[in-house]
Amino acid sequence: MTDSLTVRDNRTGAEYDIPITDGTIRAADIGKIKADDDPGLAVYDPGFVNTASCRSSVTYIDGEAGILEYRGYPIEQLAEKSSFLEVAYLLIHGSLPTKEEYDAWVHEITYHTFVHENVKSFMQGFRYDAHPMGMLMASVGALSTFYPDARNIGDADNRHIQIVRMIAKMPTLGAWSFRHAQGKPYVYPDNDLTYTENFLSMLFKMSETKYAADPRIAKALDVLFILHADHEQNCSTNAVRSVGSSQVDPYSAVAAGIAALYGPLHGGANEAVLKMLRRIGSKENIPAFIEGVKAGNERLMGFGHRVYKNYDPRAKIIKKACDDVFEVTGVNPLLEVAQELEKIALEDEYFVKRKLYPNVDFYSGLIYEALEFPPEMFTVLFAIGRTPGWLAQWLELVQDKEQKIARPKQIYTGERTLDFVPAEERWA
Ligand code: CMC
């Protein structure tokens, strides 16, 4: 058996042997298939449903088996035994740190959490009701003007410092976006605290001299950040890579990723789950709701995934985190509805046949709500967690000799060669 594809073009009768490498064929080889003087065959794939855009060694997903690994390490083990900053190191550097490397990394991140005072004034200029995601996106984009050296993406030391800055400052910007809508003063970072404790302090500190987060809450948030840290070539990562391929600075590329995440089809499903659970209200209403879903009237939000055709491994871990958080905050009354809904759906033939299982968003909104985050903040939390993943993918992109500026083809469907008639003649 040879690893190639033989294609016969029935327009011309010509045959082409196209090599198969890593389960893919090169689109450029398809372009060699020509009839007459046409520019060559292209592949039409809206949404990149079956197109590989890069080689990557960051994250592995097997959707059929429900497997997610960062740099080869299973998400379950990382969530249980690692920390968000160690996972961030792993994603960025490709391997786990030694004790010295880890300490230096944590030190660097901790001491870059502050932002220039003008960033604060800039953020204070937003309207009182500005969406925190809009504020986060704009302020991360604005960082490129504070660090113009970030444009020097060919220099490894320079890339490193921008990566550290972004991972470090993201919680500061996220927390300030949250405080802004509440009319509360922005809280400066506290370098004595861990990454997540510091974030909680910047979110919730009032007049106390030191904010002491409940360690169970800090741990649960750390686990949530780990679960969101990367997910290979999803919409926002593709946006970071696409914008980054123009060789722009990493702040501008990540701001594009935040913009993509802002959309309801990407970062916003957990909010939809909460709304759905509230509408169902109690366990007795579940059977009627399920019948409505099966009749095609609506979707069971938080179920199903383009890639996972099995239980989303992140959802299993979040279910456990729910227990830890609710131990502190008291049980969210919607948990009972969610659990019963999951139980009924997993036994129902409609969902079994279509391989619809809970995804990461089914339980995460319940935790965020218990932590007293308004729904607009859910995606900001996602963005903070996803930052190391975006940056690891960006780093891979800028060092990948095979990458080019992203420039898809189109199938042109408009008019051609019209004669322009000046306005005064058309309107006469
Ligand atoms: N409830 C009811 N039926 C569903 C659902 C659902 N949540 N999801 C898929 N189906 C059905 C769908 O109607 C179709 O049935 P049929 O074959 O009879 O037409 C079949 O399952 C296949 O669905 P699809 O729409 O072709 O699948 P997709 O891969 O295009 O969509 C999805 C994936 C995540 C958009 C979809 O499952 C969905 O809308 N889920 C609810 C929203 C949600 O929870 N989104 C969060 C995704 S996880 C976040 C992340 O990782 O970024």
Side-chain angles (χ1 to χ4, degrees), residues 231 266 269 293 299-306 309 314 350 354 356 359-361:
H231 213 227
H266 191 2
V293 171
R299 290 211 154 186
L300 172 48
M301 298 310 287
F303 258 67
H305 198 276
R306 170 65 59 79
K309 301 301 167 199
R314 300 168 299 172
Y350 174 95
R354 290 171 178 77
L356 300 172
N359 60 48
V360 69
D361 290 318

Side-chain angles (χ1 to χ4, degrees), residues 10-321:
N10 292 322
R11 298 171 301 177
T12 59
E15 282 198 357
Y16 301 81
D17 266 337
I18 300 179
I20 299 176
T21 317
D22 299 325
T24 60
I25 54 167
R26 291 208 163 234
D29 287 337
I30 297 285
K32 291 177 189 155
I33 302 176
K34 294 185 185 194
D36 304 327
D37 283 339
D38 72 21
L41 217 54
V43 179
Y44 180 56
D45 187 8
F48 302 120
V49 175
N50 193 29
T51 297
S53 64
C54 61
R55 290 171 180 279
S56 180
S57 60
V58 181
T59 289
Y60 174 80
I61 300 178
D62 179 338
E64 288 295 329
I67 292 173
L68 169 62
E69 294 170 358
Y70 299 157
R71 301 284 190 186
Y73 293 99
I75 191 68
E76 294 80 2
Q77 292 182 20
L78 294 172
E80 193 190 331
K81 298 174 189 163
S82 187
S83 67
F84 177 63
L85 283 191
E86 190 180 34
V87 166
Y89 184 99
L90 173 68
L91 287 168
I92 300 292
H93 293 87
S95 58
L96 289 169
T98 60
K99 167 101 176 73
E100 290 73 31
E101 287 165 340
Y102 179 71
D103 289 345
W105 174 248
V106 172
H107 181 85
E108 272 191 304
I109 302 278
T110 307
Y111 283 86
H112 280 93
T113 47
F114 277 75
V115 293
H116 192 289
E117 273 298 288
N118 287 4
V119 173
K120 187 174 153 199
S121 326
F122 166 77
M123 292 183 79
Q124 280 168 331
F126 278 93
R127 256 182 70 131
Y128 69 96
D129 58 352
H131 194 292
M133 262 312 253
M135 289 183 68
L136 185 70
M137 175 171 50
S139 46
V140 169
L143 287 183
S144 72
T145 68
F146 289 85
Y147 304 110
D149 56 319
R151 260 178 259 151
N152 186 9
I153 63 165
D155 181 75
D157 290 342
N158 194 292
R159 290 195 298 257
H160 176 77
I161 186 65
Q162 313 310 338
I163 287 172
V164 166
R165 282 180 177 145
M166 226 175 310
I167 295 174
K169 295 179 199 313
M170 201 62 90
T172 312
L173 301 175
W176 288 6
S177 309
F178 171 73
R179 302 279 292 201
H180 185 82
Q182 302 180 335
K184 290 182 181 161
Y186 299 179
V187 177
Y188 286 104
D190 181 341
N191 288 353
D192 293 339
L193 302 176
T194 67
Y195 190 83
T196 356
E197 284 168 356
N198 174 47
F199 179 49
L200 287 164
S201 164
M202 290 188 290
L203 287 164
F204 300 120
K205 184 169 182 289
M206 288 308 287
S207 58
E208 62 271 48
T209 41
K210 199 136 191 106
Y211 182 84
D214 188 303
R216 291 166 296 182
I217 299 284
K219 173 71 188 151
L221 203 52
D222 200 73
V223 169
L224 282 163
F225 285 159
I226 292 174
L227 298 183
H228 286 93
D230 198 51
H231 213 227
E232 50 118 309
Q233 306 311 313
N234 54 86
C235 177
S236 57
T237 301
N238 181 59
V240 171
R241 278 182 172 266
S242 185
V243 171
S245 76
S246 74
Q247 301 195 346
V248 75
D249 68 89
Y251 299 100
S252 304
V254 167
I258 298 175
L261 190 68
Y262 200 172
L265 289 189
H266 191 2
N270 44 20
E271 187 182 342
V273 172
L274 269 192
K275 284 191 184 140
M276 173 190 78
L277 293 175
R278 251 186 227 118
R279 195 156 46 85
I280 296 171
S282 65
K283 289 202 294 192
E284 304 75 70
N285 301 330
I286 292 175
F289 172 79
I290 293 277
E291 285 315 308
V293 171
K294 286 159 68 176
N297 300 336
E298 59 185 317
R299 290 211 154 186
L300 172 48
M301 298 310 287
F303 258 67
H305 198 276
R306 170 65 59 79
V307 180
Y308 293 120
K309 301 301 167 199
N310 201 321
Y311 214 103
D312 180 337
R314 300 168 299 172
K316 275 190 198 150
I317 302 165
I318 287 192
K319 238 175 128 174
K320 160 82 178 61

Side-chain angles (χ1 to χ4, degrees), residues 337-353:
V337 180
Q339 284 171 332
E340 185 66 13
L341 192 53
E342 178 190 339
K343 188 167 158 276
I344 293 178
L346 289 181
E347 285 165 1
D348 192 293
E349 210 225 323
Y350 174 95
F351 297 92
V352 174
K353 207 172 103 198

Side-chain angles (χ1 to χ4, degrees), residues 421-428:
V421 180
E424 42 301 1
E425 286 178 39
R426 293 199 318 275
W427 299 339

